[in-house]
Amino acid sequence: MMSVQSDVLDIAYSEVGDETGPPVVLIHGWPDTARGWREVADGLGKSGWRVITPDNRGTASTAFRSPTTPRDGHAVALARDTLDLADALGLRRFAIVGHDWGARVAYTLAALAPERVSAIAALALAYQPRGRFVMPDFPQARAFWYQWLMYVDEGAELIRRHPVAFARQQWDTWSPPGWFDEEEFAATAAGFGNRDWTAITLSAYRSRFLPDEPRDSRYDDLRRRLDTVEQLAVPTLMLQGGSDYCDNPSSSEGLEPYFSAAYRRVVLDGVGHFPHREAPAQVTALAHDHLSEHHG
């Protein structure tokens, strides 16, 4: 892994492909790390893309520079991290493929910095206008049990004591059985050993409903701006696992009115919450075609 430095972080990232090719940033979700993109990154790299894959704040080797910086896990913070990485690498304009949290970052950048983003592909997570989390119906709320656990102080403490076991619950239940092996989970879970992984995890969810959760004021303007944006003008591909047991496929239906540029939703039959890991060839082909169509 290589790294660049922002005001806030030492951002760890890897890079494959053609260094003169069009850039695409692959942003991982939760609970995952940049290594989850290996097959997609290699495929896009062989197709001529310059593929940049960072680890999110609080994950693997990406580290905060100061112990006093609030551990803010909001999407605008991760979006700013992505722009900081792009600036450090001299990327004026780039494409984004994001999974889960990474999908939220892709939508956020499409809302706040559309001039920087040529196209986005979002995996597993539907667009949320204004960046707002809306309380879902009962079946979806049941699937979000892990989020409600974080709002209970005793639950948050349990997660602090057993972060890897908590992540394992999601891997075991969000997709059809057999999609990963023990060796891959162990290699990925090493990235959850970052001292700030749990803090960022809790911040990302608890800050939705608990007003006293720590927030980094440097992102307040971005939060205010995001709250004004409903419609996106960046070409978007949404890839939904048809057997996603975390985010019900119905949650990504009927969102076309929120996109003024090209928008396409593709359901991957038999695929769960981790399409880039479960069906990397399909994801690579679909992402490549979409990003290439709208490049430049």
Side-chain angles (χ1 to χ4, degrees):
M1 298 288 282
M2 298 173 282
S3 69
V4 298
Q5 195 173 80
S6 71
D7 290 344
V8 178
L9 300 171
D10 290 320
I11 304 172
Y13 72 98
S14 61
E15 185 173 327
V16 298
D18 184 350
E19 64 180 15
T20 66
V24 56
V25 181
L26 311 186
I27 307 174
H28 70 81
W30 181 94
D32 206 348
T33 68
R35 71 174 281 119
W37 290 114
R38 288 174 300 163
E39 292 186 63
V40 173
D42 287 345
L44 291 174
K46 291 174 182 176
S47 297
W49 291 86
R50 179 186 178 187
V51 186
I52 298 139
T53 313
D55 276 310
N56 293 339
R57 54 172 53 201
T59 303
S61 298
T62 292
F64 283 87
R65 298 180 60 198
S66 169
T68 63
T69 300
R71 273 36 177 178
D72 192 331
H74 194 277
V76 295
L78 277 71
R80 182 65 257 178
D81 295 343
T82 304
L83 289 177
D84 288 341
L85 172 64
D87 290 345
L89 297 178
L91 308 182
R92 184 184 64 84
R93 202 157 182 260
F94 54 95
I96 304 173
V97 181
H99 168 246
D100 189 76
W101 284 19
R104 184 175 288 112
V105 171
Y107 294 133
T108 300
L109 286 174
L112 298 180
E115 72 284 354
R116 299 291 299 274
V117 183
S118 58
I120 66 173
L123 282 60
L125 188 71
Y127 175 54
Q128 297 165 311
R130 299 175 183 261
R132 294 178 179 173
F133 178 81
V134 178
M135 182 62 69
D137 58 20
F138 285 119
Q140 182 63 73
R142 180 180 181 181
F144 282 167
W145 68 269
Y146 65 98
Q147 300 186 22
W148 317 133
L149 180 66
M150 294 187 225
Y151 290 113
V152 180
D153 289 343
E154 291 80 0
E157 182 56 34
L158 178 65
I159 294 163
R160 291 186 185 98
R161 293 199 306 268
H162 305 288
V164 172
F166 183 53
R168 179 58 184 258
Q169 287 292 313
Q170 323 318 325
W171 279 48
D172 282 342
T173 59
W174 282 359
S175 297
W179 70 273
F180 70 94
D181 58 34
E182 295 298 329
E183 183 178 358
E184 180 57 29
F185 178 77
T188 303
F192 309 153
N194 184 306
R195 61 185 297 175
D196 294 310
W197 186 81
T198 303
I200 293 298
T201 294
L202 294 173
S203 168
Y205 293 103
R206 285 168 63 95
S207 61
R208 292 173 176 174
F209 293 121
L210 301 181
D212 294 332
E213 284 297 296
R215 291 191 176 189
D216 192 329
S217 61
R218 78 187 75 208
Y219 307 119
D220 286 349
D221 180 61
L222 295 177
R223 280 184 250 268
R224 285 190 290 268
R225 287 172 53 201
L226 183 62
D227 192 50
T228 68
V229 180
E230 284 204 344
Q231 194 172 67
L232 301 185
V234 172
T236 300
L237 170 68
M238 195 278 158
L239 299 181
Q240 173 72 64
S243 297
D244 188 332
Y245 305 140
C246 174
D247 290 278
N248 192 296
S250 64
S251 67
S252 60
E253 294 175 346
L255 297 177
E256 289 80 3
Y258 291 106
F259 297 86
S260 61
Y263 175 76
R264 181 188 180 201
R265 173 179 177 267
V266 178
V267 177
L268 304 177
D269 292 337
V271 173
H273 189 72
F274 297 84
H276 58 308
R277 286 180 171 273
E278 299 172 56
Q282 285 180 274
V283 169
T284 301
L286 288 163
H288 169 71
D289 290 349
H290 171 71
L291 301 182
S292 297
E293 180 181 356
H294 300 287
H295 170 62

